[in-house]
């Protein structure tokens, strides 16, 4: 079950970051937005909110640095996402993990509609 959740989170977060390079401002602003979204959607406690913000800030800062590098290493970005997803799973309750999994599945399904079955290049 945890492997499935981590895979869903990995693919969703990898896709999200690959499609939106540095949108939303500074790493701090991005971390605030992501934390606010998760807080509202998953009903995070104050302690979870702080932990998720710290985790998001670390991730956004790392991703920003990687994007600025001359030779952006996608394998390192993927590795960073895997670490993020594993740490996030430790913070969330089983119920919150299930809700996040459902949200990501729904979001992924919506993203597929725009492609109309055409393969990626």
């Amino acid at each position: 079950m945890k492997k499935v959740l981590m895979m869903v989170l990995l693919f969703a977060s990898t896709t999200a970051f690959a499609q939106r390079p540095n949108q939303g401002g500074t790493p701090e602003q991005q971390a605030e937005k992501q934390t606010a979204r998760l807080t509202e959607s998953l009903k995070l406690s104050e302690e979870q909110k702080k932990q998720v913000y710290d985790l998001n800030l670390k991730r956004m800062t790392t991703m920003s640095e990687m994007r600025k590098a001359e030779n952006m290493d996608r394998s390192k970005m993927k590795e960073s996402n895997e670490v993020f997803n594993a740490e996030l799973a430790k913070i969330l309750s089983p119920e919150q993990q299930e809700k996040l999994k459902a949200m990501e599945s729904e979001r992924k399904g919506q993203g597929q509609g725009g492609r109309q079955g055409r393969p990626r290049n």
Side-chain angles (χ1 to χ4, degrees), residues 52-69:
V52 169
Y53 174 79
D54 291 344
L55 188 59
N56 274 320
L57 181 59
K58 182 179 176 182
R59 177 187 193 202
M60 299 301 178
T61 301
T62 301
M63 290 296 183
S64 177
E65 291 169 359
M66 286 184 194
R67 283 189 196 101
K68 290 177 185 175

Side-chain angles (χ1 to χ4, degrees), residues 5-22:
L5 173 63
M6 289 179 59
M7 292 302 293
V8 168
L9 292 172
L10 170 66
F11 290 124
S13 59
T14 301
T15 302
F17 281 100
Q19 294 176 355
R20 296 180 300 193
N22 202 26

Side-chain angles (χ1 to χ4, degrees), residues 47-104:
E47 181 62 27
Q48 285 177 313
K49 184 178 175 180
K50 181 182 179 338
Q51 291 174 321
V52 169
Y53 174 79
D54 291 344
L55 188 59
N56 274 320
L57 181 59
K58 182 179 176 182
R59 177 187 193 202
M60 299 301 178
T61 301
T62 301
M63 290 296 183
S64 177
E65 291 169 359
M66 286 184 194
R67 283 189 196 101
K68 290 177 185 175
E70 277 186 41
N71 297 321
M72 188 167 56
D73 187 345
R74 294 208 180 268
S75 65
K76 285 187 181 181
M77 292 178 109
K78 182 178 177 182
E79 184 179 310
S80 177
N81 281 328
E82 290 171 355
V83 170
F84 172 82
N85 291 330
E87 292 299 314
L88 182 61
K90 291 177 187 176
I91 296 169
L92 301 178
S93 71
E95 295 82 16
Q96 289 169 323
Q97 290 176 22
E98 285 298 316
K99 179 149 182 156
L100 182 61
K101 179 181 169 185
M103 288 169 34
E104 296 296 346

